[in-house]
């Protein structure tokens, strides 16, 4: 559907040889030569060989891995118009995670310069803030406000820090570093004399810098977030900036304030009006402090106008609160620039390419996924037989999953599948099966024997299907709705989830979107890939349920917000392509029309009863998706700018769920590496684990008191076992807003 070829902007200047027959291609990244295996995307090739390539979602939804194609040709696996701007497309930018080399290629990753140097000075500014000065071997190219990745001799740890001084030709850079509890690098800096130690910088990164305009400036800094602010201010003096500027600097006590004389000097040299206000949140009431008290965000209203441009840097909670306050005061999001300080290692990646060391898949490894088809066909038969057979079919399905997962153990095998085309065919078979289930279920409530189908079945099998239909009670039809909805979720949504990730495969996308049409959810193919995978486990993601949320509210909220998100994503893409929003090209509109076609077809098959039956079943199937979303990320938090890791999804390895759901259960690996097909997903036994298998957890989620009783301890365990320091801050805020006493009491312990 989205498959395109892109050619490097300087192709004619290089003599690059196509080596398609060999299966491998050379990939040169900023002068470093690597190799890509057949059908391997550039990002995977880079990470496999230890190249620290910037990335996050890995499914083409965030643009973190965007890079410039200098030479050669690539096959693009997704529609880059969803993510990249017109200017970036014109300049030859591609997404590394969605680009497979067709020839030898050369790419340029902006700002991936590596420079060495030595520490020349080290000074403690407060009890937990330290300043280090570094003399580089040569000047670093950067913009005041950007950050670099820093490594120090003697410690194999890499962390990101903002540069605290403007660019200069002397090659001198300074950093202001906060001591983080259990932070290896920051504690190393505080505990040892580092004078003369060698360092390595990678960068520069980030888009936190002063924009060129005449609007008044509001800068808000907290803790070591003053570092990039100082660099911007000093650069502003050099540029003779005349814009009025207010700097709000938040700290806990007056002992936590630093660089006051330097800021005072900056204020004297600034060409426009300069206002500096330090604010203390925890200063003792009886102290001699005469300045402002409270949180730095409390003063925002007093120091902005309608045209203010805001720059925020510091701890994530401060930045997030300030953003919210600014928006509420009428400041456009486009006028707010932020740098949220984190301590997570950006070099983290999943290097698990052990395909050659795994055992070859045997026939049973292929056959086990046909259990999915057996469940679907047996459910269809129970619907046709009607009466007690339908009731038995519904409850036996629940029994099969709940009891089966409870006693069959975990599936931890990941064999090497040498015939992936068989696995793809298994996925494609879902559409004809779901079409049969759709027809048969609607036929069971039709006032007539549509197409003589019941008579044909009776003549063929010797069982009076028409009589069984007439004798089926209303309560059984309710069970039939639930059973059909389960099939729409199992056969439709789960299979479509896998297929619509294959944005480069037109057949898979076609089948996947039609499968989603049965649950009125074709927008899943837009929002899930380009929204959910980008924002998973953050407050920006409609599908991620915050702590304390009721599942029934989540079904409604996630459905509405998901549609809004998909519409915005699609409109953005169409505008970039200069295509009319209200046209056939709009996948959002086209998808919902596909569902309308099914509603009309259900009316033609079963009249009003058939149409209402299908609509109810389809909405139940859609609700199942949102319940699954609720389960898969409930209560988790993540910094939006950090790569998604296995810890950001609840996982389960229960055997029956795994075999009948195409390894959807291995959700931790799926979100960490969204491009990996289902048969290659790892079980990750050490990942955060769900309560049980999928259907068991769905049933528990539908009973909110039981859900919160079981999940609150698991979420708190996730905080202790998996959360980073920044995520613990986000978790504290989530606990406070949860409305659940056990979460709130944790904050006071």
């Amino acid at each position: 559907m989205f498959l395109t070829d892109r050619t490097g902007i300087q192709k004619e200047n290089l003599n690059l040889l196509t080596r398609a027959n060999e299966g491998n291609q050379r990939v040169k990244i900023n002068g470093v030569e690597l190799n890509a295996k057949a059908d391997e995307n550039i990002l995977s090739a880079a990470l496999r060989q230890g190249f620290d390539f910037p990335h996050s979602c890995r499914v083409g939804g965030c643009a973190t891995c965007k890079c410039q194609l200098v030479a050669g040709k690539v096959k693009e696996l997704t529609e880059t118009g969803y993510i990249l701007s017109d200017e970036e497309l014109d300049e030859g930018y591609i997404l590394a995670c969605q680009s497979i080399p067709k020839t030898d290629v050369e790419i340029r990753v902006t700002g991936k310069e590596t420079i060495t140097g030595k520490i020349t000075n080290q000074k403690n500014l407060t009890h937990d803030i330290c300043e280090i000065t570094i003399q580089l071997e040569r000047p670093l190219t950067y913009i005041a406000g950007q950050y670099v990745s820093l490594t120090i001799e003697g410690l194999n740890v890499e962390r990101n820090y903002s540069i605290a001084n403007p660019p200069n030709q002397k090659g001198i850079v300074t950093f202001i570093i906060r001591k983080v509890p259990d932070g290896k690098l920051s504690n190393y800096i505080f505990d040892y004399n580092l004078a003369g130690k060698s360092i390595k910088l990678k960068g520069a990164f980030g888009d936190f810098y002063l924009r060129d305009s005449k609007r008044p400036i509001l800068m808000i800094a907290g803790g070591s977030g003053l570092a990039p602010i100082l660099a911007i201010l000093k650069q502003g003096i050099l540029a003779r900036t005349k814009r009025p500027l207010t700097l709000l600097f938040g700290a806990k006590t007056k002992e936590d304030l630093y660089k006051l004389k330097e800021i005072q000097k900056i204020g004297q040299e600034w060409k426009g009006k300069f206002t500096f206000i330090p604010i203390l949140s925890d200063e003792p009431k009886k102290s001699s402090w005469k300045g402002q008290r409270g949180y730095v965000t409390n003063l925002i209203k007093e120091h902005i106008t309608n045209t203010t441009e805001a720059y925020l840097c510091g701890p994530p909670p401060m930045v997030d609160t300030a953003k919210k306050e600014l928006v509420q005061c009428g400041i456009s999001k486009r006028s707010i620039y932020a740098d949220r300080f984190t301590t997570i290692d950006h070099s983290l990646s999943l290097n698990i390419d052990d395909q050659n060391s795994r055992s070859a898949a045997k026939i049973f490894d292929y056959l086990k996924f046909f259990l999915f088809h057996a469940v679907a066909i047996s459910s269809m038969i129970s619907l046709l037989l009607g009466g007690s057979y339908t009731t038995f079919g519904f409850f036996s399905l629940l029994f099969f999953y709940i009891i089966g997962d409870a006693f069959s153990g975990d599936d931890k095998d990941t064999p090497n599948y040498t015939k992936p085309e068989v696995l793809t065919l298994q996925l494609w078979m879902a559409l004809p099966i779901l079409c049969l289930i759709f027809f048969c279920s609607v036929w069971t409530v039709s006032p007539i024997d549509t197409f003589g189908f019941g008579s044909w079945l009776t003549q063929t099998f010797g069982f009076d299907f028409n009589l069984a239909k007439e004798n089926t009670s209303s309560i059984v039809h309710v069970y039939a709705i639930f059973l059909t909805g389960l099939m729409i979720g199992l056969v439709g949504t789960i299979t479509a989830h896998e297929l619509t990730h294959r944005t480069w495969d037109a057949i898979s996308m076609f089948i996947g979107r039609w499968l989603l049409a049965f649950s009125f959810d074709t927008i899943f193919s837009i929002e899930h890939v380009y929204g959910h995978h980008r924002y998973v486990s953050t407050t920006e993601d409609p599908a991620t349920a915050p702590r304390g949320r009721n599942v029934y509210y989540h079904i409604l909220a996630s459905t509405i917000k998901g549609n809004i998100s998909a519409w915005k994503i699609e409109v953005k893409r169409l505008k970039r392509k200069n295509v009319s929003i209200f046209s056939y090209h709009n996948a959002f509109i086209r998808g919902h029309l596909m569902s309308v076609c099914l509603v009309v077809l259900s009316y033609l098959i079963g009249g009003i009863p058939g149409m209402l039956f299908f609509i109810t079943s389809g909405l139940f199937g859609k609700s199942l998706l949102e319940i699954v979303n609720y389960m898969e990320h409930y209560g988790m938090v993540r910094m939006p700018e950090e790569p998604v890791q296995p810890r950001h999804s609840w996982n389960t390895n229960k055997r029956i769920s795994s075999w009948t759901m195409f390894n959807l259960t291995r959700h931790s690996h799926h979100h960490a590496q969204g491009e990996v097909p289902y048969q290659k997903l790892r079980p990750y036994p050490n990942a955060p684990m769900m309560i049980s298998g999928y259907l068991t957890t769905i049933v528990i989620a539908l009973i909110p008191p039981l859900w919160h009783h079981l999940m609150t301890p698991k979420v708190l365990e996730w905080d202790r076992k998996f959360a980073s320091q920044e995520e613990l801050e986000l978790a504290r805020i989530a606990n406070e807003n949860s409305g659940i006493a056990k979460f709130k009491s944790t904050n006071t312990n």
Side-chain angles (χ1 to χ4, degrees), residues 117-420:
K118 291 186 180 296
I119 296 176
T120 58
N121 192 33
Q122 181 180 10
K123 178 183 178 182
N124 287 349
L125 302 178
T126 71
H127 74 285
D128 66 348
I129 299 285
C130 177
E131 180 181 52
I132 60 173
T133 303
I134 297 172
Q135 176 64 62
L136 300 175
E137 60 179 352
R138 55 186 170 83
L140 173 70
T141 302
Y142 67 98
I143 303 172
Q146 288 188 304
Y147 66 89
V148 296
S149 178
L150 174 67
T151 307
I152 299 180
E153 175 191 355
L155 193 67
N156 187 28
V157 176
E158 188 175 348
R159 293 292 183 266
N160 294 332
Y161 294 110
S162 292
I163 303 171
N165 63 303
N168 60 87
Q169 292 302 311
K170 295 180 180 179
I172 296 175
V173 290
T174 61
F175 298 92
I176 295 174
I177 297 169
R178 181 175 70 90
K179 186 176 184 179
V180 178
D182 301 322
K184 292 182 180 179
L185 187 55
S186 64
N187 280 270
Y188 182 67
I189 291 171
F190 268 81
D191 296 341
Y192 294 92
N193 180 5
L194 303 180
K197 285 279 188 180
S198 296
I199 62 90
K200 182 186 294 184
L201 300 183
K202 292 181 184 178
F205 306 103
D207 57 3
F208 188 70
Y209 57 86
L210 186 64
R211 268 57 180 184
D212 185 16
S213 76
K214 296 181 180 180
R215 294 185 288 171
I217 303 167
L218 173 65
M219 290 187 165
I220 303 177
S224 58
L226 188 61
I229 298 291
L230 287 174
I232 291 173
L233 292 176
K234 293 175 183 178
Q235 183 62 47
I237 292 174
L238 295 174
R240 304 182 68 81
T241 302
K242 298 179 181 180
R243 297 164 64 184
L245 186 146
T246 298
L247 170 59
L248 306 179
F249 181 28
K252 290 185 177 181
T253 68
K254 59 183 179 181
E255 283 74 24
D256 295 312
L257 295 172
Y258 61 94
K259 294 286 185 180
L260 297 183
K261 291 183 179 179
E262 192 168 322
I263 295 173
Q264 184 179 15
K265 183 180 178 182
I266 290 172
Q268 294 170 352
E269 297 178 355
W270 192 263
K271 297 302 179 183
K273 181 182 178 182
F274 187 95
T275 305
F276 171 57
I277 304 175
I279 307 105
L280 304 182
S281 60
D282 297 333
E283 180 67 13
K285 293 182 179 180
K286 296 182 180 180
S287 76
S288 59
W289 176 253
K290 303 298 182 183
Q292 292 281 356
R293 294 174 181 267
Y295 291 104
V296 67
T297 52
N298 295 343
L299 297 184
I300 288 177
K301 290 182 181 179
E302 302 175 21
H303 297 280
I304 60 172
T305 68
N306 293 334
T307 60
T308 292
E309 197 172 80
Y311 294 83
L312 322 172
C313 191
M318 183 212 78
V319 171
D320 293 341
T321 304
K323 278 185 177 180
K324 185 177 180 180
E325 181 70 20
L326 286 163
V327 171
Q328 289 177 348
C329 290
I331 303 300
S332 168
K333 289 183 178 181
R334 295 182 179 180
S335 298
I336 303 172
Y337 305 96
D339 193 357
R340 303 160 94 231
F341 270 21
T342 68
T343 59
I344 300 174
D345 185 352
H346 280 248
S347 65
L348 288 174
S349 63
L350 289 170
N351 250 337
I352 53 172
D353 182 25
D354 61 349
Q355 184 168 329
N356 293 330
S357 64
R358 287 182 279 142
S359 60
K362 299 179 175 60
I363 187 169
F364 175 76
D365 295 310
Y366 292 91
L367 290 176
K368 67 183 182 184
F369 291 116
F370 279 109
L371 190 58
F372 162 91
H373 307 83
V375 168
I377 292 172
S378 62
S379 296
M380 180 182 69
I381 293 172
S382 69
L383 286 168
L384 287 172
L385 292 173
S388 59
Y389 291 102
T390 299
T391 304
F392 177 78
F394 171 66
F395 285 102
S396 64
L397 182 70
L398 296 179
F399 181 88
F400 173 69
Y401 276 98
I402 295 174
I403 303 301
D405 277 335
F407 291 98
S408 64
D410 290 342
D411 174 30
K412 298 181 181 179
D413 294 331
T414 312
N416 184 15
Y417 289 91
T418 57
K419 297 184 182 300

Side-chain angles (χ1 to χ4, degrees), residues 1-8 25 37-43 69 71-80 93-105 107 503-506:
M1 181 177 179
F2 294 133
L3 188 64
T4 57
D5 289 344
R6 293 283 293 281
T7 303
Q25 306 295 345
K37 297 179 179 179
D39 296 324
E40 184 178 33
N41 67 61
I42 292 172
L43 176 62
L69 181 63
K73 294 182 67 175
V74 298
K75 178 174 69 176
E76 292 190 306
L77 305 180
T78 194
E79 172 59 90
T80 52
Y93 278 86
I94 59 173
L95 299 176
C97 72
Q98 297 296 301
S99 300
I100 295 177
K102 294 184 67 176
T103 68
D104 291 347
V105 299
I107 65 171
T503 53
W504 61 92
D505 184 348

Side-chain angles (χ1 to χ4, degrees), residues 423-440:
L423 303 172
T424 298
L425 181 61
Q426 287 176 314
L427 293 169
W428 288 356
M429 287 173 64
L431 184 57
I433 289 175
L434 188 56
C435 287
L436 281 173
I437 293 173
F438 164 75
F439 175 81
C440 292

Side-chain angles (χ1 to χ4, degrees), residues 425-624:
L425 181 61
Q426 287 176 314
L427 293 169
W428 288 356
M429 287 173 64
L431 184 57
I433 289 175
L434 188 56
C435 287
L436 281 173
I437 293 173
F438 164 75
F439 175 81
C440 292
S441 62
V442 172
W443 175 84
T444 62
V445 295
S446 172
I448 62 172
D449 182 17
T450 309
F451 304 136
F453 180 65
S455 299
W456 175 79
L457 285 176
T458 300
Q459 186 178 5
T460 303
F461 297 102
F463 178 88
D464 196 335
F465 286 87
N466 284 316
L467 181 62
K469 180 172 74 168
E470 292 174 6
N471 292 333
T472 298
S473 65
S474 298
I475 185 63
V476 173
H477 283 312
V478 173
Y479 293 144
I481 288 173
F482 288 142
L483 184 56
T484 304
L486 279 169
M487 290 302 101
I488 289 173
L490 178 68
V491 181
T493 306
I494 289 176
T495 315
H497 171 263
E498 174 70 22
L499 292 175
T500 53
H501 269 289
R502 305 181 181 189
T503 53
W504 61 92
D505 184 348
I507 297 176
S508 292
M509 286 297 296
F510 174 84
I511 294 174
R513 280 174 59 81
W514 270 109
L515 288 170
L516 291 169
F518 287 88
S519 58
F520 308 99
D521 200 30
T522 53
I523 63 99
F524 179 89
S525 63
I526 302 171
E527 206 287 323
H528 180 81
V529 176
Y530 303 107
H532 176 61
H533 270 266
R534 182 179 186 179
Y535 296 113
V536 63
S537 295
T538 73
T539 56
E540 299 293 322
D541 178 34
T544 297
R547 303 175 185 199
R549 175 175 283 183
N550 181 291
V551 67
Y552 298 101
Y553 173 79
H554 182 77
I555 292 171
L556 183 63
S558 182
T559 298
I560 294 172
K561 292 180 180 179
N563 272 270
I564 293 172
S565 174
W567 174 259
K568 289 180 178 178
I569 292 169
E570 184 65 5
V571 167
K572 186 177 181 180
R573 179 184 75 89
L574 294 172
K575 285 183 177 179
R576 284 177 174 170
K577 287 182 165 291
N578 198 27
V579 174
S580 173
I581 295 173
F582 299 99
S583 68
Y584 172 80
H585 299 283
N586 190 318
F588 182 99
I589 296 175
R590 197 168 66 245
H592 281 307
L593 288 176
M594 291 162 66
S595 295
V596 171
C597 289
L598 291 175
V599 172
V600 172
L601 187 57
S602 66
Y603 173 78
L604 296 176
I605 296 171
I608 295 295
M611 182 180 71
L612 294 177
F613 180 94
F614 168 66
I615 292 174
T616 307
S617 300
L619 291 176
F620 179 63
K622 165 61 176 172
S623 298
L624 285 175

